[in-house]
Amino acid sequence: QSCSGGSVGAPLYEPGCAPTDCFCINPGEGYDVVVDSPTSFDVKGCESQITITLPAGGNTYLISVPFDTTLATAQDLADAVGLPRQQVFPPTPGGTVIGLDPCQRIVSACTSGTSACNSFTLIPGRAYKVRFPNQNGSTFVNPTSSTAQCPPPC
C-alpha cells in the first residue's frame, strides 16, 4: 500500500506507522466501514476545527459527529452543516438527517426544522447521512469543541 499527501498537506503515511501497514485519511475525509458481525477496532486520530466542503453535484453526504462537540440533536447537526429548515410559508423543503443504529439495525430519519429533528439524539462518533434538497454542496467548520492541533507537532 502507498499513500500520497492530500491537497491540504497530509503526510505520506501516518506518523509512527510503516507505510505498508497504514493508510492516510486526509482532513475532512472519512470511510464507511461495514462488518458482518459485532467488532471493535481502535481509530487513532484527532478532531480539529477545519473547514469541510461538501462538493456540489451531489445531495447526500456521510457526516461523522465529532466525539468532542456541543452537537446534541439531529437539528444541531443540520444547522451545523447548513441543511435548510423546512418552512410552511413560503414553502421550502428541508434537508434530511438519517441515522442507523448498527446494533438494532433501525433507521431513523427527520426533516430539518421539525420537532422530530429536535428530539433525535446524536451519538458522538457515529456517522449520519445528510440529504440536501438541492445539489449546491455546502461548506462548514467541523463542529468540534476540540482546540487540538492536528496532527500534533513532532
Side-chain angles (χ1 to χ4, degrees):
Q1 293 178 344
S2 64
C3 187
S4 60
S7 60
V8 293
L12 295 179
Y13 55 91
E14 297 175 27
C17 188
T20 56
D21 296 334
C22 300
F23 60 93
C24 296
I25 299 178
N26 294 324
E29 288 182 344
Y31 291 89
D32 185 12
V33 178
V34 179
V35 297
D36 60 4
S37 63
T39 188
S40 65
F41 62 96
D42 290 331
V43 176
K44 296 182 181 178
C46 182
E47 299 173 338
S48 62
Q49 297 174 356
I50 62 164
T51 299
I52 297 174
T53 299
L54 305 175
N59 71 339
T60 304
Y61 306 90
L62 189 62
I63 306 289
S64 180
V65 174
F67 285 100
D68 190 4
T69 187
T70 59
L71 301 181
T73 68
Q75 188 61 55
D76 294 337
L77 176 61
D79 291 341
V81 303
L83 276 179
R85 289 176 176 237
Q86 177 177 299
Q87 295 180 24
V88 175
F89 188 80
T92 306
T96 306
V97 177
I98 305 162
L100 169 68
D101 179 330
C103 296
Q104 302 296 320
R105 302 253 187 236
I106 297 172
V107 176
S108 300
C110 66
T111 301
S112 178
T114 65
S115 60
C117 268
N118 287 322
S119 60
F120 183 153
T121 303
L122 297 175
I123 308 295
R126 187 172 286 174
Y128 296 86
K129 283 187 180 178
V130 294
R131 183 172 296 137
F132 286 78
N134 57 53
Q135 294 187 346
N136 298 336
S138 182
T139 299
F140 62 97
V141 174
N142 188 25
T144 180
S145 306
S146 173
T147 57
Q149 180 181 358
C150 301
C154 297

